[in-house]
Amino acid sequence: MLTFIAKRMIQSVLVMIAVGLITFALLRFVGDPISNMVGQDTSTAEREELKEALGLNDPFVIQFANFAKNAVKGEFGLSYTLRVPVSQLLSERIPATLELSILSALLALFIGMPMGIYTAIHKDSWLTKLFLSSSLVGVSLPTFLIGILLILLFGVMFRWLPTFGRGEVVDLGWWSTGLLTWSGIKSLILPTITLAIFQLTLIMRLVRAEMLEVLRTDYIKFGRARGLSMKSIHYRHALKNTLIPVITITGLQLGSIIAFALITESVFQWPGMGLLFIQAIGNADVPIMAAYLVLIAFIFVAINLLVDILYVVLDPRLRTTVGD
Amino acid sequence: MENENNLNRWQDFRRRLADNDIWYSFKHTPMAYISAITGITLIALAVFAPLVAPQNPFDLASLDLFDASMPPSWMDQGDPRFLLGTDDQGRGILSTIFYGLRISLFVGFTSVFLSLLIGVSLGLISGYIGGRVDAVIMRIADVQLSFPAILIALLIDGVFRTVASKEIHEDLALYVVIFAIAISGWVQYARTVRSSVMTEKIKEYVQAGQVIGLGSGRIMIKHILPNVLGPVFVIGTLHLALAIIIEATLSFLGVGLPPTTPSLGTLIRIGNEYLFSGEWWITIFPGATLIILSLSVNLFGDWLRDALNPKLQ
Amino acid sequence: MSLLEIKNLTVKFPSRKGDFTAVNDVSLSVEPGEILGIVGESGAGKSTVGNAIISLLDPPGYVSGGSVWLKGERIDDLDENLKSAIRGKRIGMIFQDPLTSLNPLETVGAQLIETITLHLDIDEKAARARAIDLLNQVGIENSEERVDQFPHQFSGGMRQRVVIALALCSDPEVVIADEPTTALDVSIQAQILGLLRKLCEDRNVGMIMVTHDMGVIAEITDRVAVMYNGKLVEIGKTDKVLYNPTHDYTKSLISAVPRPDKKSHRFPLVTYIEDVKERPEDLKLSDMWLGKTRDYEEFDGPMLQVENLKQDFVVKHAIFKRNHKYFTALKGVSFDIKQGEVFGIVGESGSGKSTIARCVTGIYEPSGGTVSICGTDLNKLEDKSRQNYYRRQTQMVFQDPFSSLNGRMRVENIIAEPIIFHKQATNKTEVKKIVDELLETVGLGSNAAQKFPHEFSGGQRQRISIARALATRPRFLICDEPTSALDVSIQAQVLNLLKDLQEELGLTMMFISHDLPVIRQMCDRVAVMQSGEILEIAETEALFNTPQHSYTQSLLGLMPKFRTVS
């Protein structure tokens, strides 16, 4: 079991190195870092000097090592357009994105799972049909359109809820939160729903599919033949077996919420990392792009690792060695 | 003789079709045939856009700023020439939708085709050959899976923007978007095909081919490939809806197709700026078209998945 | 009043082509302490009877008529709650596959305790004691310790014992066992059957044993019911039904079971079933393409020489090759097959017999040793066309009729592929003619050519598989368990076909099977295998009459003990 986790950790590190290489290549070879830093009138000699000072003449491996060292510390240099350290820009924006993403993830999980279980157990009820057809609509609706529709409905027509920004934010020093003011909470409602709908339908359909699969197995039939109650069959035997594959995919999905947030942020002008990234793409601001990429990859890898460990804890077939 | 043979084959085909469970399920599932009819109608409208659109929105000479921002024809100040109203440039919304549909569908189909081609080939090779080749391909897939498709597409687009000048970028935007979406989607095909190939390749019909002496290439393409294509069609259909949505999203975010070649997403983006001033029709009609399109494709794909999976019946 | 009584039971499965009647007006009863066998071939409806008794029919099946009575009480029309109170408590059930019958995420103890506390009014601690006691009774050693283990820590036979323990949790009055030993090897099978018999007697339980296997019926049942096409055709004391059947179907079915006691020339055909088909009497292979003299070089010596053949499989990959974990399927086997001989290989699952076939045909590359066909080691042969020349001479018939044909190809193309690949015909018309002839030869008729494999039954598919193997005009045919997936009646037809072809074409044959009676009927010489080694090679009759190795003796001892009337 320990070797399994160690193996997974090594794999995670390898993935991070690969992502690091890609972002490094981005930083180094896409656009010219020097001309992005200095004005038109800088002489060739000065440029060379700067190049030397920045270590751009060092061998590739050393440059990459330096990049990696800085990346681990969270330093990705100055933004080309804003002239501010990228780390500072990102850390200002992280709370906004995380608050939005985590709330959406919780919403998607706590509504999507029960809906999935319900639709698997009550295969033919009208509520199941309703859930299933609305879930297809949910998958077919692009996130940005959901946002626009919600804005039109609750912002423009009824004027109940704010449609852009975070509202009033309380600064806790290391974290700025919108959860402590009434306007902050109101501002969160529409973006959270927008971001959650797609994931919610996905989780629901996944749980349903897995559970139906499990309900067809022999051990469920054998359980019924032993007279076990439907409650025990569904919630004790089927649910546990359903959750194992669901955990992996759900974990990945929740990770992707943070990346998906960029669409929602763009629609609601939410001051998070995603909005920053979109603006960076428009402005060809490579350091911000690189930093965002590494951060997202890191979150993904971390979640993945967590999921793998959870897997081992839950599944006895991985936990114990085969006897006789 | 030849004719009779063809007739026999046709009758044989008819008999097979009547016997076919998938065709039966199609005929008896309203969701399936309604979505298929809707989808085909939209494709036809897109293909014949120059013939069916009331105006050509890209003919600058025919545009008149006096026609700008008109509401749909059934509302006050509406104009019977413009059924769904006009945008800020005086273009008829209905016509821009037909042309936008054309671009959205073109991007959708080509990127799905490319994605499928890359994914299926790599999956087939990975699953059949195994070993190092398999390990390398699957590790790349793993790394890519760490990022959602939309982010990969955004990134490819962003890199291209940085490298190319603005003019080149506008000209090539369409192909960059297609490439970006294709690259962002191949992993799913590759993984599915690979796992199907791994179960197929140990089956005895493959061994029978080996005993006859057939080469690996022939076995892969002639024997294994046709047996793993079922799920590929399902993924392809669902991916078509996703590709159209990704393109719309990119264009909406302003990093996809420029206003000179507007897709549905670009139209929604343009309209979004007028949402608060009450000109909702500029956004809502392209948006509704996009929803109907992706919904009909998704419904069809959903039915196809159930129909191809005999366990669910 | 019987313990369990079924009256006029009819079960239907609706489909879009109308209702399919799986069980048609079946009546039978079971007494305490008695084992009633229900025997029949696939599709006879025997498992459906078992499922219908406890109201667990696979959807969309439903009982459309008749009734089920337990000790004089009607149980099939109770509501779901009362039914599940009977299931497990008064009627226990044992399914076929022990590997999938247990919840993999819970310890066997947890599953036992849940079932015990559900049905008996005792606390957790007493239930645990009972669970351990039950495990002891079904022959699991160290049960105190093993009760806390997970299902994957038990072997197949042990898991089936756990399943039996679960079925006995609350001292049921009736146990229904649905093919309980089919997934197990012969030696384990004998133990499980013995256990069931003993439990039945000790506890005075009435048991219904659903099986396709006449050997199992003869071994442990008191009475037997024979089913065909949903109908009960005959029921009576086991001895009487087996040795003095009255119904035509039963007669022909029993006569088709391969005889373990002596070799007969042909298998009697099951004439009662509908799709019985033999190739036309007047078919003369000598007039056909297949019967023409083959263009192979003549040679002296054996057709196949296998020397010290070894085969390892990597079971666990590691980063470095030396850290790979291997499973040794073949530990160095050697044997020869003479020209024109039928050579049998017999052994239990995992003994390595199929691996030999795959090494000989080039599907696997051997890890060591040599395989020579017609005196030539193919693995050392560089010349591609020479390699194909030898490949063409060796063909194979596979075990699974469902996966051995490519479902996406028409039968015509399946059979034409080897003909075209090995350039056995010059044009399309000629290929077509050969395909038609081959289909006639295997008894399918040329109108099979345009169909797809899924339109055929298992036995018919096996004929297609044989036609494909013959399409290169081989002189060496390998048959890997060619009939183990088939019903007895179909098996008899396919074996007859193989015998005829072997004789008329003078084929050399390697015949692999786990079934000793089949081996006895088919082979001239036999090799007995266990765990990747050949223990004994002998002339068939000598092997069956005077087995030398102790393992062979024990295998022969486990053969079904019933003799047919001839």
PDB file of all heavy atoms in Angstrom, chain C residues 295-307:
ATOM      1  N   ASP C 295      -0.753 -29.765 -52.183  1.00  0.00           N
ATOM      2  CA  ASP C 295       0.537 -29.524 -52.842  1.00  0.00           C
ATOM      3  C   ASP C 295       1.693 -29.457 -51.851  1.00  0.00           C
ATOM      4  O   ASP C 295       2.661 -28.755 -52.067  1.00  0.00           O
ATOM      5  CB  ASP C 295       0.448 -28.216 -53.639  1.00  0.00           C
ATOM      6  CG  ASP C 295       0.039 -27.052 -52.750  1.00  0.00           C
ATOM      7  OD1 ASP C 295      -0.499 -27.306 -51.653  1.00  0.00           O
ATOM      8  OD2 ASP C 295       0.271 -25.904 -53.156  1.00  0.00           O
ATOM      9  N   TYR C 296       1.564 -30.134 -50.711  1.00  0.00           N
ATOM     10  CA  TYR C 296       2.642 -30.067 -49.732  1.00  0.00           C
ATOM     11  C   TYR C 296       3.752 -31.077 -50.042  1.00  0.00           C
ATOM     12  O   TYR C 296       3.503 -32.123 -50.630  1.00  0.00           O
ATOM     13  CB  TYR C 296       2.110 -30.343 -48.330  1.00  0.00           C
ATOM     14  CG  TYR C 296       1.042 -29.387 -47.880  1.00  0.00           C
ATOM     15  CD1 TYR C 296      -0.200 -29.848 -47.486  1.00  0.00           C
ATOM     16  CD2 TYR C 296       1.284 -28.006 -47.866  1.00  0.00           C
ATOM     17  CE1 TYR C 296      -1.185 -28.964 -47.069  1.00  0.00           C
ATOM     18  CE2 TYR C 296       0.308 -27.126 -47.467  1.00  0.00           C
ATOM     19  CZ  TYR C 296      -0.917 -27.604 -47.063  1.00  0.00           C
ATOM     20  OH  TYR C 296      -1.884 -26.737 -46.652  1.00  0.00           O
ATOM     21  N   GLU C 297       4.952 -30.712 -49.620  1.00  0.00           N
ATOM     22  CA  GLU C 297       6.072 -31.638 -49.774  1.00  0.00           C
ATOM     23  C   GLU C 297       5.878 -32.824 -48.830  1.00  0.00           C
ATOM     24  O   GLU C 297       5.437 -32.648 -47.696  1.00  0.00           O
ATOM     25  CB  GLU C 297       7.398 -30.942 -49.432  1.00  0.00           C
ATOM     26  CG  GLU C 297       7.697 -29.747 -50.305  1.00  0.00           C
ATOM     27  CD  GLU C 297       8.468 -28.663 -49.552  1.00  0.00           C
ATOM     28  OE1 GLU C 297       9.035 -28.949 -48.477  1.00  0.00           O
ATOM     29  OE2 GLU C 297       8.492 -27.529 -50.062  1.00  0.00           O
ATOM     30  N   GLU C 298       6.187 -34.025 -49.313  1.00  0.00           N
ATOM     31  CA  GLU C 298       6.119 -35.193 -48.429  1.00  0.00           C
ATOM     32  C   GLU C 298       7.354 -35.204 -47.545  1.00  0.00           C
ATOM     33  O   GLU C 298       8.412 -34.684 -47.902  1.00  0.00           O
ATOM     34  CB  GLU C 298       6.069 -36.485 -49.258  1.00  0.00           C
ATOM     35  CG  GLU C 298       4.757 -36.654 -50.010  1.00  0.00           C
ATOM     36  CD  GLU C 298       3.549 -36.711 -49.084  1.00  0.00           C
ATOM     37  OE1 GLU C 298       3.633 -37.351 -48.015  1.00  0.00           O
ATOM     38  OE2 GLU C 298       2.509 -36.090 -49.421  1.00  0.00           O
ATOM     39  N   PHE C 299       7.238 -35.762 -46.354  1.00  0.00           N
ATOM     40  CA  PHE C 299       8.404 -35.867 -45.478  1.00  0.00           C
ATOM     41  C   PHE C 299       8.226 -37.042 -44.550  1.00  0.00           C
ATOM     42  O   PHE C 299       7.108 -37.535 -44.341  1.00  0.00           O
ATOM     43  CB  PHE C 299       8.598 -34.575 -44.685  1.00  0.00           C
ATOM     44  CG  PHE C 299       7.511 -34.351 -43.668  1.00  0.00           C
ATOM     45  CD1 PHE C 299       7.714 -34.673 -42.337  1.00  0.00           C
ATOM     46  CD2 PHE C 299       6.280 -33.837 -44.064  1.00  0.00           C
ATOM     47  CE1 PHE C 299       6.704 -34.489 -41.414  1.00  0.00           C
ATOM     48  CE2 PHE C 299       5.277 -33.646 -43.143  1.00  0.00           C
ATOM     49  CZ  PHE C 299       5.492 -33.967 -41.815  1.00  0.00           C
ATOM     50  N   ASP C 300       9.342 -37.495 -43.971  1.00  0.00           N
ATOM     51  CA  ASP C 300       9.278 -38.572 -42.996  1.00  0.00           C
ATOM     52  C   ASP C 300       9.297 -37.966 -41.595  1.00  0.00           C
ATOM     53  O   ASP C 300       9.655 -36.812 -41.418  1.00  0.00           O
ATOM     54  CB  ASP C 300      10.473 -39.516 -43.161  1.00  0.00           C
ATOM     55  CG  ASP C 300      10.337 -40.301 -44.450  1.00  0.00           C
ATOM     56  OD1 ASP C 300       9.179 -40.608 -44.813  1.00  0.00           O
ATOM     57  OD2 ASP C 300      11.367 -40.572 -45.090  1.00  0.00           O
ATOM     58  N   GLY C 301       8.949 -38.763 -40.613  1.00  0.00           N
ATOM     59  CA  GLY C 301       9.023 -38.288 -39.236  1.00  0.00           C
ATOM     60  C   GLY C 301       7.705 -37.698 -38.800  1.00  0.00           C
ATOM     61  O   GLY C 301       6.745 -37.657 -39.548  1.00  0.00           O
ATOM     62  N   PRO C 302       7.663 -37.258 -37.535  1.00  0.00           N
ATOM     63  CA  PRO C 302       6.404 -36.783 -36.959  1.00  0.00           C
ATOM     64  C   PRO C 302       5.951 -35.445 -37.552  1.00  0.00           C
ATOM     65  O   PRO C 302       6.772 -34.664 -38.041  1.00  0.00           O
ATOM     66  CB  PRO C 302       6.740 -36.633 -35.474  1.00  0.00           C
ATOM     67  CG  PRO C 302       8.217 -36.516 -35.401  1.00  0.00           C
ATOM     68  CD  PRO C 302       8.778 -37.230 -36.581  1.00  0.00           C
ATOM     69  N   MET C 303       4.629 -35.216 -37.492  1.00  0.00           N
ATOM     70  CA  MET C 303       4.062 -33.946 -37.940  1.00  0.00           C
ATOM     71  C   MET C 303       4.508 -32.816 -37.041  1.00  0.00           C
ATOM     72  O   MET C 303       4.888 -31.747 -37.482  1.00  0.00           O
ATOM     73  CB  MET C 303       2.525 -34.065 -37.918  1.00  0.00           C
ATOM     74  CG  MET C 303       1.773 -32.829 -38.325  1.00  0.00           C
ATOM     75  SD  MET C 303       2.070 -32.366 -40.026  1.00  0.00           S
ATOM     76  CE  MET C 303       1.023 -33.503 -40.877  1.00  0.00           C
ATOM     77  N   LEU C 304       4.473 -33.102 -35.722  1.00  0.00           N
ATOM     78  CA  LEU C 304       4.836 -32.065 -34.758  1.00  0.00           C
ATOM     79  C   LEU C 304       5.837 -32.627 -33.755  1.00  0.00           C
ATOM     80  O   LEU C 304       5.658 -33.727 -33.244  1.00  0.00           O
ATOM     81  CB  LEU C 304       3.585 -31.580 -34.008  1.00  0.00           C
ATOM     82  CG  LEU C 304       3.829 -30.558 -32.902  1.00  0.00           C
ATOM     83  CD1 LEU C 304       4.109 -29.190 -33.480  1.00  0.00           C
ATOM     84  CD2 LEU C 304       2.661 -30.507 -31.939  1.00  0.00           C
ATOM     85  N   GLN C 305       6.881 -31.857 -33.545  1.00  0.00           N
ATOM     86  CA  GLN C 305       7.830 -32.227 -32.497  1.00  0.00           C
ATOM     87  C   GLN C 305       7.942 -31.056 -31.537  1.00  0.00           C
ATOM     88  O   GLN C 305       8.299 -29.948 -31.948  1.00  0.00           O
ATOM     89  CB  GLN C 305       9.214 -32.471 -33.099  1.00  0.00           C
ATOM     90  CG  GLN C 305       9.409 -33.852 -33.666  1.00  0.00           C
ATOM     91  CD  GLN C 305      10.744 -33.924 -34.367  1.00  0.00           C
ATOM     92  OE1 GLN C 305      10.938 -33.258 -35.382  1.00  0.00           O
ATOM     93  NE2 GLN C 305      11.650 -34.717 -33.835  1.00  0.00           N
ATOM     94  N   VAL C 306       7.645 -31.310 -30.281  1.00  0.00           N
ATOM     95  CA  VAL C 306       7.778 -30.263 -29.275  1.00  0.00           C
ATOM     96  C   VAL C 306       8.858 -30.704 -28.309  1.00  0.00           C
ATOM     97  O   VAL C 306       8.793 -31.812 -27.770  1.00  0.00           O
ATOM     98  CB  VAL C 306       6.442 -30.041 -28.533  1.00  0.00           C
ATOM     99  CG1 VAL C 306       6.631 -29.097 -27.360  1.00  0.00           C
ATOM    100  CG2 VAL C 306       5.393 -29.509 -29.484  1.00  0.00           C
ATOM    101  N   GLU C 307       9.856 -29.822 -28.135  1.00  0.00           N
ATOM    102  CA  GLU C 307      10.950 -30.215 -27.256  1.00  0.00           C
ATOM    103  C   GLU C 307      11.190 -29.183 -26.177  1.00  0.00           C
ATOM    104  O   GLU C 307      11.439 -28.015 -26.468  1.00  0.00           O
ATOM    105  CB  GLU C 307      12.231 -30.403 -28.072  1.00  0.00           C
ATOM    106  CG  GLU C 307      12.576 -31.868 -28.278  1.00  0.00           C
ATOM    107  CD  GLU C 307      13.676 -31.998 -29.305  1.00  0.00           C
ATOM    108  OE1 GLU C 307      14.807 -31.629 -28.990  1.00  0.00           O
ATOM    109  OE2 GLU C 307      13.362 -32.432 -30.436  1.00  0.00           O
TER     110      GLU C 307
END
